Coordinates of all heavy atoms in Angstrom, one line a residue:
M1 N 104.5 -54.2 -167.0 CA 105.0 -53.2 -166.0 C 104.4 -51.9 -166.3 O 104.4 -51.4 -167.5 CB 106.5 -53.2 -166.1 CG 107.3 -54.5 -165.8 SD 107.5 -54.8 -164.0 CE 108.5 -53.5 -163.5
A2 N 104.0 -51.2 -165.3 CA 103.4 -49.9 -165.5 C 104.3 -48.9 -166.1 O 103.9 -47.9 -166.7 CB 102.8 -49.4 -164.1
Y3 N 105.6 -49.0 -165.9 CA 106.6 -48.1 -166.5 C 106.5 -48.1 -168.0 O 106.9 -47.1 -168.6 CB 108.0 -48.5 -166.1 CG 108.3 -48.2 -164.6 CD1 108.3 -49.3 -163.7 CD2 108.6 -47.0 -164.2 CE1 108.5 -49.1 -162.3 CE2 108.8 -46.7 -162.8 CZ 108.8 -47.8 -161.9 OH 109.1 -47.5 -160.6
Q4 N 106.0 -49.2 -168.6 CA 105.9 -49.3 -170.0 C 104.6 -48.9 -170.6 O 104.4 -49.0 -171.8 CB 106.3 -50.8 -170.4 CG 107.7 -51.2 -170.0 CD 108.0 -52.6 -170.2 OE1 107.1 -53.4 -170.2 NE2 109.2 -53.0 -170.3
W5 N 103.6 -48.5 -169.8 CA 102.3 -48.2 -170.3 C 102.3 -47.0 -171.2 O 103.1 -46.0 -171.0 CB 101.4 -47.9 -169.1 CG 101.0 -49.0 -168.2 CD1 101.2 -50.3 -168.5 CD2 100.3 -48.9 -167.0 NE1 100.7 -51.1 -167.4 CE2 100.1 -50.2 -166.5 CE3 99.8 -47.9 -166.2 CZ2 99.5 -50.5 -165.3 CZ3 99.2 -48.1 -165.0 CH2 99.0 -49.5 -164.6
G6 N 101.5 -47.1 -172.2 CA 101.2 -45.9 -173.0 C 100.1 -45.1 -172.4 O 99.6 -45.4 -171.3
V7 N 99.7 -44.0 -173.1 CA 98.7 -43.2 -172.6 C 97.3 -43.9 -172.3 O 96.7 -43.7 -171.3 CB 98.4 -42.0 -173.5 CG1 97.3 -41.1 -173.1 CG2 99.7 -41.2 -173.7
D8 N 97.0 -44.8 -173.3 CA 95.7 -45.5 -173.1 C 95.7 -46.4 -171.8 O 94.7 -46.4 -171.1 CB 95.6 -46.5 -174.3 CG 95.3 -45.8 -175.6 OD1 94.9 -44.6 -175.6 OD2 95.5 -46.4 -176.7
Q9 N 96.8 -47.0 -171.5 CA 96.8 -47.8 -170.3 C 96.7 -47.0 -169.0 O 96.1 -47.4 -168.1 CB 98.1 -48.7 -170.3 CG 98.0 -49.9 -171.3 CD 98.6 -49.5 -172.6 OE1 99.1 -48.4 -172.8 NE2 98.6 -50.4 -173.5
V10 N 97.4 -45.8 -169.1 CA 97.3 -44.9 -167.9 C 95.9 -44.4 -167.7 O 95.4 -44.5 -166.6 CB 98.3 -43.7 -168.1 CG1 98.0 -42.6 -167.0 CG2 99.7 -44.2 -168.0
V11 N 95.2 -44.1 -168.8 CA 93.8 -43.6 -168.7 C 92.9 -44.8 -168.2 O 92.1 -44.6 -167.3 CB 93.3 -43.1 -170.0 CG1 91.8 -42.9 -170.1 CG2 94.1 -41.8 -170.4
F12 N 93.2 -46.0 -168.7 CA 92.4 -47.1 -168.2 C 92.6 -47.4 -166.7 O 91.7 -47.6 -166.0 CB 92.8 -48.4 -169.0 CG 91.9 -49.5 -168.8 CD1 90.5 -49.5 -169.1 CD2 92.4 -50.7 -168.2 CE1 89.7 -50.6 -168.8 CE2 91.7 -51.8 -167.9 CZ 90.3 -51.8 -168.2
W13 N 93.9 -47.3 -166.3 CA 94.2 -47.4 -164.9 C 93.5 -46.4 -164.0 O 92.9 -46.7 -162.9 CB 95.7 -47.3 -164.7 CG 96.2 -47.4 -163.2 CD1 96.3 -48.5 -162.4 CD2 96.5 -46.2 -162.4 NE1 96.7 -48.1 -161.2 CE2 96.8 -46.7 -161.1 CE3 96.5 -44.8 -162.6 CZ2 97.2 -45.9 -160.1 CZ3 96.9 -44.0 -161.6 CH2 97.2 -44.5 -160.3
L14 N 93.4 -45.2 -164.5 CA 92.7 -44.1 -163.7 C 91.2 -44.5 -163.6 O 90.7 -44.4 -162.5 CB 92.8 -42.8 -164.5 CG 94.2 -42.1 -164.4 CD1 94.2 -41.0 -165.5 CD2 94.5 -41.5 -163.0
I15 N 90.6 -45.0 -164.7 CA 89.2 -45.3 -164.6 C 89.0 -46.5 -163.7 O 88.1 -46.5 -162.9 CB 88.7 -45.6 -166.1 CG1 88.7 -44.3 -166.8 CG2 87.3 -46.3 -166.0 CD1 88.5 -44.4 -168.3
Q16 N 89.9 -47.5 -163.8 CA 89.8 -48.7 -162.9 C 89.9 -48.3 -161.4 O 89.3 -48.9 -160.5 CB 90.9 -49.7 -163.1 CG 90.7 -50.6 -164.3 CD 91.9 -51.6 -164.4 OE1 93.0 -51.3 -164.2 NE2 91.5 -52.8 -164.8
N17 N 90.6 -47.2 -161.1 CA 90.8 -46.7 -159.8 C 89.8 -45.6 -159.4 O 90.0 -44.8 -158.4 CB 92.2 -46.3 -159.6 CG 93.1 -47.5 -159.4 OD1 93.2 -48.0 -158.3 ND2 93.8 -47.9 -160.5
H18 N 88.7 -45.5 -160.1 CA 87.6 -44.5 -159.9 C 88.1 -43.1 -159.9 O 87.6 -42.2 -159.2 CB 87.0 -44.8 -158.5 CG 86.6 -46.3 -158.4 ND1 85.5 -46.8 -159.1 CD2 87.1 -47.3 -157.7 CE1 85.5 -48.1 -158.9 NE2 86.4 -48.4 -158.0
L19 N 89.1 -42.8 -160.8 CA 89.6 -41.5 -161.0 C 89.2 -41.0 -162.4 O 90.0 -40.3 -163.1 CB 91.1 -41.4 -160.8 CG 91.5 -41.7 -159.3 CD1 93.0 -42.0 -159.2 CD2 91.2 -40.5 -158.4
D20 N 88.0 -41.4 -162.9 CA 87.6 -41.0 -164.2 C 87.7 -39.5 -164.5 O 87.9 -39.2 -165.6 CB 86.1 -41.4 -164.4 CG 85.8 -42.8 -163.9 OD1 86.2 -43.2 -162.8 OD2 85.1 -43.5 -164.6
E21 N 87.4 -38.7 -163.5 CA 87.4 -37.3 -163.7 C 88.8 -36.8 -164.1 O 88.9 -35.7 -164.7 CB 87.0 -36.6 -162.3 CG 86.4 -35.3 -162.5 CD 85.9 -34.7 -161.2 OE1 85.4 -35.5 -160.4 OE2 85.9 -33.5 -161.0
C22 N 89.9 -37.5 -163.7 CA 91.2 -37.2 -164.1 C 91.6 -37.6 -165.5 O 92.6 -37.1 -166.1 CB 92.2 -37.8 -163.1 SG 91.9 -37.3 -161.4
A23 N 90.9 -38.6 -166.0 CA 91.3 -39.2 -167.3 C 91.5 -38.2 -168.5 O 92.5 -38.3 -169.2 CB 90.3 -40.3 -167.7
P24 N 90.5 -37.3 -168.7 CA 90.7 -36.4 -169.8 C 92.0 -35.6 -169.7 O 92.7 -35.4 -170.8 CB 89.5 -35.5 -169.8 CG 88.4 -36.3 -169.1 CD 89.2 -37.1 -168.1
A25 N 92.3 -35.1 -168.6 CA 93.6 -34.3 -168.4 C 94.8 -35.1 -168.7 O 95.8 -34.6 -169.3 CB 93.6 -33.7 -167.0
F26 N 94.8 -36.4 -168.2 CA 96.0 -37.3 -168.5 C 96.1 -37.6 -170.0 O 97.2 -37.6 -170.6 CB 95.9 -38.5 -167.7 CG 96.4 -38.4 -166.3 CD1 95.7 -37.6 -165.3 CD2 97.6 -39.0 -165.9 CE1 96.2 -37.5 -164.0 CE2 98.1 -38.8 -164.6 CZ 97.4 -38.1 -163.7
W27 N 94.9 -37.8 -170.6 CA 94.9 -38.1 -172.0 C 95.4 -36.9 -172.9 O 96.2 -37.0 -173.7 CB 93.5 -38.5 -172.5 CG 93.4 -38.9 -173.9 CD1 93.9 -40.0 -174.5 CD2 92.8 -38.1 -175.0 NE1 93.6 -40.0 -175.8 CE2 93.0 -38.8 -176.1 CE3 92.2 -36.9 -175.0 CZ2 92.5 -38.4 -177.4 CZ3 91.7 -36.4 -176.2 CH2 91.9 -37.1 -177.4
T28 N 94.9 -35.7 -172.5 CA 95.3 -34.5 -173.2 C 96.8 -34.2 -173.0 O 97.4 -33.8 -174.0 CB 94.4 -33.3 -172.7 OG1 93.1 -33.6 -172.9 CG2 94.8 -32.0 -173.4
S29 N 97.3 -34.5 -171.8 CA 98.7 -34.2 -171.5 C 99.6 -35.4 -172.0 O 100.8 -35.3 -171.9 CB 98.9 -34.0 -170.0 OG 98.2 -32.9 -169.6
K30 N 99.0 -36.4 -172.5 CA 99.7 -37.6 -173.1 C 100.7 -38.2 -172.0 O 101.8 -38.4 -172.3 CB 100.5 -37.2 -174.3 CG 99.7 -36.6 -175.4 CD 98.8 -37.6 -176.1 CE 98.1 -37.0 -177.3 NZ 96.6 -37.1 -177.2
I31 N 100.1 -38.4 -170.8 CA 100.9 -39.0 -169.7 C 101.1 -40.5 -169.9 O 100.1 -41.2 -170.0 CB 100.3 -38.7 -168.4 CG1 100.1 -37.2 -168.2 CG2 101.1 -39.3 -167.2 CD1 101.4 -36.4 -168.1
T32 N 102.3 -40.9 -170.0 CA 102.7 -42.4 -170.1 C 102.9 -42.9 -168.7 O 103.0 -42.2 -167.7 CB 103.9 -42.6 -170.9 OG1 105.0 -42.0 -170.3 CG2 103.8 -42.0 -172.3
G33 N 103.1 -44.3 -168.6 CA 103.4 -44.9 -167.4 C 104.7 -44.4 -166.7 O 104.7 -44.2 -165.5
S34 N 105.7 -44.2 -167.6 CA 106.9 -43.7 -167.0 C 106.8 -42.4 -166.4 O 107.3 -42.1 -165.3 CB 108.0 -43.7 -168.2 OG 109.2 -43.2 -167.7
Q35 N 106.1 -41.5 -167.1 CA 105.8 -40.1 -166.6 C 105.0 -40.2 -165.3 O 105.3 -39.5 -164.3 CB 105.1 -39.3 -167.6 CG 106.0 -39.0 -168.8 CD 105.2 -38.4 -169.9 OE1 104.1 -38.9 -170.3 NE2 105.7 -37.3 -170.5
L36 N 104.0 -41.0 -165.3 CA 103.1 -41.2 -164.1 C 103.9 -41.6 -162.9 O 103.8 -41.0 -161.8 CB 102.1 -42.3 -164.4 CG 101.1 -42.6 -163.3 CD1 100.1 -41.5 -163.0 CD2 100.4 -43.9 -163.6
L37 N 104.9 -42.5 -163.1 CA 105.6 -43.1 -161.9 C 106.9 -42.3 -161.6 O 107.3 -42.4 -160.5 CB 106.0 -44.5 -162.2 CG 104.7 -45.5 -162.3 CD1 105.2 -46.8 -162.8 CD2 104.0 -45.6 -161.1
N38 N 107.4 -41.6 -162.5 CA 108.7 -40.9 -162.3 C 108.7 -39.4 -162.3 O 109.6 -38.8 -161.7 CB 109.7 -41.4 -163.3 CG 110.0 -42.9 -163.2 OD1 110.2 -43.4 -162.1 ND2 110.0 -43.6 -164.3
E39 N 107.9 -38.8 -163.1 CA 108.0 -37.4 -163.4 C 107.0 -36.4 -162.8 O 107.3 -35.3 -162.5 CB 108.1 -37.2 -164.9 CG 109.2 -37.9 -165.6 CD 109.2 -37.8 -167.1 OE1 108.6 -36.9 -167.6 OE2 109.8 -38.7 -167.7
L40 N 105.8 -36.9 -162.6 CA 104.7 -36.0 -162.1 C 104.9 -35.6 -160.7 O 105.2 -36.4 -159.8 CB 103.3 -36.7 -162.3 CG 102.8 -36.9 -163.7 CD1 101.5 -37.6 -163.7 CD2 102.7 -35.5 -164.4
K41 N 104.6 -34.4 -160.5 CA 104.7 -33.8 -159.1 C 103.3 -33.2 -158.8 O 102.5 -33.0 -159.7 CB 105.7 -32.7 -159.0 CG 107.1 -33.1 -159.3 CD 108.0 -31.9 -159.2 CE 109.3 -32.1 -160.1 NZ 109.1 -31.8 -161.5
Q42 N 103.0 -33.0 -157.5 CA 101.7 -32.5 -157.1 C 101.4 -31.1 -157.9 O 100.3 -30.9 -158.3 CB 101.7 -32.3 -155.6 CG 100.3 -32.4 -155.1 CD 100.3 -32.8 -153.6 OE1 101.4 -32.9 -153.0 NE2 99.2 -32.9 -153.1
S43 N 102.4 -30.3 -158.1 CA 102.2 -29.1 -158.8 C 101.7 -29.3 -160.3 O 101.0 -28.5 -160.8 CB 103.4 -28.2 -158.8 OG 104.5 -28.9 -159.4
D44 N 102.1 -30.4 -160.9 CA 101.7 -30.8 -162.2 C 100.2 -31.0 -162.3 O 99.5 -30.7 -163.2 CB 102.4 -32.0 -162.7 CG 103.9 -31.8 -162.9 OD1 104.3 -30.7 -163.3 OD2 104.7 -32.7 -162.6
F45 N 99.7 -31.6 -161.2 CA 98.3 -31.9 -161.2 C 97.4 -30.6 -161.2 O 96.4 -30.6 -161.9 CB 97.9 -32.8 -159.9 CG 98.6 -34.1 -159.9 CD1 99.1 -34.5 -158.7 CD2 98.7 -34.9 -161.0 CE1 99.8 -35.8 -158.6 CE2 99.4 -36.1 -161.0 CZ 99.9 -36.5 -159.8
S46 N 97.9 -29.6 -160.5 CA 97.2 -28.3 -160.5 C 97.2 -27.7 -161.9 O 96.2 -27.2 -162.4 CB 97.8 -27.4 -159.5 OG 97.6 -27.9 -158.2
E47 N 98.4 -27.8 -162.6 CA 98.6 -27.3 -163.9 C 97.7 -28.0 -164.9 O 97.3 -27.5 -165.9 CB 100.0 -27.4 -164.4 CG 100.9 -26.4 -163.6 CD 102.4 -26.6 -164.0 OE1 102.7 -27.1 -165.1 OE2 103.2 -26.2 -163.2
M48 N 97.4 -29.3 -164.6 CA 96.6 -30.1 -165.5 C 95.1 -29.9 -165.2 O 94.3 -30.6 -165.8 CB 97.0 -31.6 -165.4 CG 98.3 -32.0 -165.9 SD 98.9 -33.6 -165.4 CE 97.7 -34.7 -166.1
A49 N 94.8 -29.1 -164.2 CA 93.4 -28.8 -163.8 C 92.7 -30.0 -163.2 O 91.5 -30.2 -163.3 CB 92.6 -28.3 -165.0
I50 N 93.5 -30.8 -162.5 CA 92.9 -31.9 -161.7 C 92.3 -31.3 -160.5 O 92.9 -30.5 -159.8 CB 94.1 -32.9 -161.2 CG1 94.8 -33.5 -162.4 CG2 93.5 -34.0 -160.3 CD1 94.0 -34.4 -163.3
P51 N 91.0 -31.7 -160.2 CA 90.3 -31.1 -159.0 C 91.1 -31.3 -157.8 O 91.7 -32.4 -157.5 CB 89.0 -31.9 -159.0 CG 88.8 -32.4 -160.4 CD 90.2 -32.6 -160.9
E52 N 91.2 -30.3 -157.0 CA 92.1 -30.3 -155.8 C 91.7 -31.4 -154.8 O 92.5 -32.0 -154.2 CB 92.0 -28.9 -155.1 CG 93.3 -28.6 -154.4 CD 93.4 -27.1 -154.0 OE1 93.3 -26.3 -154.9 OE2 93.4 -26.9 -152.8
S53 N 90.4 -31.7 -154.8 CA 89.9 -32.7 -153.9 C 90.4 -34.1 -154.3 O 90.4 -35.0 -153.5 CB 88.4 -32.7 -153.8 OG 87.8 -33.0 -155.1
L54 N 90.8 -34.3 -155.6 CA 91.2 -35.6 -156.0 C 92.7 -35.8 -156.0 O 93.2 -36.9 -156.1 CB 90.8 -35.8 -157.5 CG 89.3 -36.0 -157.7 CD1 89.0 -36.1 -159.2 CD2 88.7 -37.1 -156.9
I55 N 93.5 -34.7 -155.8 CA 94.9 -34.8 -155.8 C 95.5 -35.7 -154.7 O 96.3 -36.6 -155.0 CB 95.6 -33.4 -155.7 CG1 95.3 -32.7 -157.1 CG2 97.1 -33.5 -155.5 CD1 95.7 -31.2 -157.1
P56 N 95.0 -35.7 -153.5 CA 95.5 -36.6 -152.5 C 95.2 -38.1 -152.8 O 96.0 -38.9 -152.6 CB 94.8 -36.2 -151.2 CG 94.3 -34.8 -151.4 CD 94.1 -34.7 -152.9
I57 N 94.0 -38.3 -153.3 CA 93.7 -39.7 -153.7 C 94.5 -40.1 -154.9 O 95.1 -41.3 -154.9 CB 92.2 -39.7 -154.1 CG1 91.3 -39.3 -153.0 CG2 91.8 -41.1 -154.7 CD1 89.9 -39.0 -153.3
L58 N 94.7 -39.3 -155.9 CA 95.6 -39.6 -157.0 C 97.0 -39.9 -156.6 O 97.6 -40.9 -157.0 CB 95.5 -38.5 -158.0 CG 96.3 -38.6 -159.3 CD1 95.9 -39.9 -160.1 CD2 96.1 -37.4 -160.2
T59 N 97.5 -39.0 -155.7 CA 98.9 -39.2 -155.2 C 99.0 -40.5 -154.5 O 100.0 -41.3 -154.7 CB 99.2 -38.0 -154.3 OG1 99.1 -36.8 -155.0 CG2 100.7 -38.1 -153.8
H60 N 98.0 -40.9 -153.7 CA 98.1 -42.1 -152.9 C 98.0 -43.3 -153.9 O 98.8 -44.3 -153.7 CB 96.9 -42.2 -152.0 CG 96.8 -43.5 -151.2 ND1 97.6 -43.8 -150.2 CD2 95.9 -44.5 -151.4 CE1 97.3 -45.1 -149.8 NE2 96.3 -45.5 -150.5
K61 N 97.2 -43.3 -154.9 CA 97.1 -44.4 -155.9 C 98.4 -44.5 -156.7 O 98.8 -45.7 -156.9 CB 95.9 -44.2 -156.8 CG 94.6 -44.3 -156.2 CD 94.3 -45.8 -155.8 CE 92.9 -46.0 -155.2 NZ 92.7 -47.4 -154.9
I62 N 99.0 -43.4 -157.0 CA 100.3 -43.5 -157.7 C 101.4 -44.1 -156.8 O 102.1 -45.0 -157.3 CB 100.7 -42.1 -158.2 CG1 99.8 -41.7 -159.3 CG2 102.2 -42.2 -158.8 CD1 100.0 -40.2 -159.8
E63 N 101.4 -43.8 -155.6 CA 102.3 -44.4 -154.6 C 102.1 -45.9 -154.5 O 103.0 -46.7 -154.4 CB 102.3 -43.7 -153.2 CG 102.9 -42.3 -153.2 CD 104.4 -42.3 -153.7 OE1 105.1 -43.2 -153.2 OE2 104.8 -41.5 -154.5
E64 N 100.8 -46.3 -154.4 CA 100.5 -47.7 -154.3 C 101.0 -48.4 -155.6 O 101.6 -49.5 -155.5 CB 99.0 -47.9 -154.3 CG 98.4 -47.7 -152.9 CD 96.9 -48.0 -152.9 OE1 96.2 -48.2 -154.0 OE2 96.3 -48.0 -151.8
L65 N 100.8 -47.8 -156.7 CA 101.3 -48.4 -158.0 C 102.8 -48.5 -158.0 O 103.3 -49.6 -158.4 CB 100.8 -47.6 -159.2 CG 101.1 -48.1 -160.6 CD1 100.5 -49.5 -160.8 CD2 100.6 -47.2 -161.6
K66 N 103.5 -47.5 -157.5 CA 104.9 -47.6 -157.5 C 105.4 -48.7 -156.6 O 106.3 -49.5 -156.9 CB 105.5 -46.2 -156.9 CG 105.5 -45.1 -157.9 CD 106.1 -43.9 -157.2 CE 106.0 -42.7 -158.1 NZ 106.5 -41.4 -157.4
N67 N 104.7 -48.8 -155.4 CA 105.1 -49.9 -154.5 C 104.8 -51.3 -155.1 O 105.6 -52.2 -154.9 CB 104.3 -49.8 -153.2 CG 104.8 -48.6 -152.3 OD1 106.0 -48.2 -152.5 ND2 104.0 -48.0 -151.5
Q68 N 103.8 -51.4 -155.8 CA 103.5 -52.7 -156.5 C 104.6 -53.0 -157.5 O 105.0 -54.2 -157.6 CB 102.1 -52.6 -157.2 CG 101.0 -52.6 -156.2 CD 99.6 -52.3 -156.9 OE1 99.6 -51.9 -158.0 NE2 98.5 -52.6 -156.2
Q69 N 105.0 -52.0 -158.2 CA 106.1 -52.2 -159.2 C 107.4 -52.6 -158.5 O 108.1 -53.5 -159.0 CB 106.3 -51.0 -160.1 CG 105.1 -50.6 -160.9 CD 104.6 -51.6 -161.8 OE1 105.3 -52.0 -162.8 NE2 103.4 -52.2 -161.6
I70 N 107.7 -52.0 -157.4 CA 108.9 -52.3 -156.7 C 108.9 -53.7 -156.2 O 109.9 -54.4 -156.2 CB 109.1 -51.3 -155.5 CG1 109.5 -49.9 -156.1 CG2 110.2 -51.7 -154.6 CD1 109.4 -48.8 -155.1
N71 N 107.7 -54.1 -155.7 CA 107.5 -55.5 -155.1 C 107.3 -56.5 -156.2 O 107.0 -57.7 -155.9 CB 106.4 -55.5 -154.1 CG 106.8 -54.6 -152.9 OD1 107.9 -54.6 -152.4 ND2 105.8 -53.9 -152.4
G72 N 107.3 -56.1 -157.5 CA 107.2 -57.1 -158.5 C 105.7 -57.6 -158.8 O 105.5 -58.6 -159.4
I73 N 104.8 -56.9 -158.3 CA 103.4 -57.2 -158.5 C 103.0 -56.8 -159.9 O 103.2 -55.6 -160.3 CB 102.4 -56.6 -157.5 CG1 102.8 -57.1 -156.1 CG2 101.0 -56.9 -157.8 CD1 102.2 -56.4 -154.9
T74 N 102.4 -57.7 -160.7 CA 102.0 -57.4 -162.1 C 100.6 -56.9 -162.1 O 99.7 -57.5 -161.5 CB 102.1 -58.6 -162.9 OG1 103.5 -59.1 -162.9 CG2 101.8 -58.3 -164.4
I75 N 100.4 -55.8 -162.7 CA 99.0 -55.2 -162.9 C 98.5 -55.7 -164.3 O 99.1 -55.5 -165.3 CB 99.1 -53.7 -163.0 CG1 99.8 -53.1 -161.7 CG2 97.7 -53.1 -163.1 CD1 99.2 -53.4 -160.4
T76 N 97.4 -56.5 -164.3 CA 96.9 -57.0 -165.5 C 95.7 -56.2 -166.0 O 94.8 -55.9 -165.2 CB 96.4 -58.5 -165.3 OG1 97.5 -59.2 -164.8 CG2 95.9 -59.1 -166.6
M77 N 95.8 -55.7 -167.2 CA 94.7 -55.0 -167.8 C 93.8 -56.0 -168.5 O 94.3 -56.7 -169.5 CB 95.2 -54.0 -168.8 CG 96.1 -52.9 -168.2 SD 95.1 -51.7 -167.4 CE 96.4 -50.6 -166.8
V78 N 92.6 -56.2 -168.1 CA 91.7 -57.2 -168.7 C 91.3 -56.7 -170.1 O 91.4 -57.5 -171.1 CB 90.4 -57.4 -167.8 CG1 89.4 -58.3 -168.5 CG2 90.8 -57.9 -166.5
H79 N 90.9 -55.5 -170.2 CA 90.6 -54.9 -171.5 C 91.0 -53.4 -171.4 O 90.5 -52.7 -170.6 CB 89.2 -55.0 -171.9 CG 88.8 -54.2 -173.1 ND1 89.2 -54.4 -174.3 CD2 87.9 -53.1 -173.2 CE1 88.7 -53.5 -175.2 NE2 87.9 -52.8 -174.5
S80 N 91.9 -53.0 -172.3 CA 92.4 -51.7 -172.3 C 91.9 -51.0 -173.5 O 92.6 -51.0 -174.6 CB 93.9 -51.6 -172.2 OG 94.4 -50.3 -172.1
P81 N 90.8 -50.4 -173.5 CA 90.3 -49.7 -174.7 C 91.2 -48.5 -175.0 O 91.9 -48.0 -174.2 CB 88.9 -49.2 -174.3 CG 88.9 -49.2 -172.8 CD 89.9 -50.2 -172.4
S82 N 91.0 -48.0 -176.2 CA 91.8 -46.9 -176.7 C 91.3 -45.6 -176.0 O 90.2 -45.6 -175.5 CB 91.7 -46.7 -178.2 OG 90.5 -46.2 -178.5
S83 N 92.2 -44.6 -175.9 CA 91.8 -43.4 -175.2 C 90.6 -42.7 -175.9 O 89.7 -42.2 -175.3 CB 93.0 -42.4 -175.3 OG 94.0 -42.9 -174.5
T84 N 90.6 -42.8 -177.2 CA 89.5 -42.3 -178.0 C 88.2 -42.9 -177.6 O 87.2 -42.3 -177.4 CB 89.7 -42.5 -179.5 OG1 91.0 -41.9 -179.8 CG2 88.7 -41.8 -180.3
E85 N 88.2 -44.3 -177.4 CA 87.1 -45.0 -177.0 C 86.6 -44.6 -175.7 O 85.4 -44.4 -175.4 CB 87.5 -46.5 -177.0 CG 86.4 -47.5 -177.3 CD 86.9 -48.9 -177.2 OE1 88.2 -49.2 -177.2 OE2 86.1 -49.8 -177.0
L86 N 87.5 -44.4 -174.7 CA 87.2 -44.0 -173.4 C 86.6 -42.6 -173.3 O 85.7 -42.3 -172.6 CB 88.4 -44.1 -172.5 CG 89.0 -45.5 -172.2 CD1 90.4 -45.4 -171.6 CD2 88.0 -46.2 -171.3
M87 N 87.2 -41.7 -174.1 CA 86.8 -40.3 -174.0 C 85.5 -40.0 -174.7 O 84.8 -39.0 -174.4 CB 87.9 -39.4 -174.7 CG 89.2 -39.4 -174.0 SD 89.1 -38.8 -172.3 CE 89.6 -40.3 -171.4
T88 N 85.0 -41.0 -175.5 CA 83.7 -40.8 -176.2 C 82.5 -41.4 -175.4 O 81.4 -41.3 -175.9 CB 83.8 -41.3 -177.6 OG1 84.1 -42.7 -177.6 CG2 84.7 -40.5 -178.4
K89 N 82.8 -42.1 -174.3 CA 81.8 -42.8 -173.6 C 81.1 -41.8 -172.6 O 81.6 -40.9 -172.2 CB 82.3 -44.0 -172.8 CG 82.7 -45.1 -173.8 CD 83.1 -46.3 -173.0 CE 83.4 -47.4 -174.1 NZ 83.7 -48.6 -173.5

């Protein structure tokens, strides 16, 4: 369940969803799955220096993920590298 994801899984999810540009900010802010799905607001994205052009896409993807969780759809991570591994590529 995405609610249980650590920072590494959130970063990996961002990359899987072509939001690579957001990954460093999420990693630096230590955003977990619970925070991603429950706590983040659009104003937080601006504070995290997420590019304004990506905020609507990011918001949409988070809503999709929430809906998947509500409907019981399991998100499978094939390989979830560590944040350090992702940030050094």
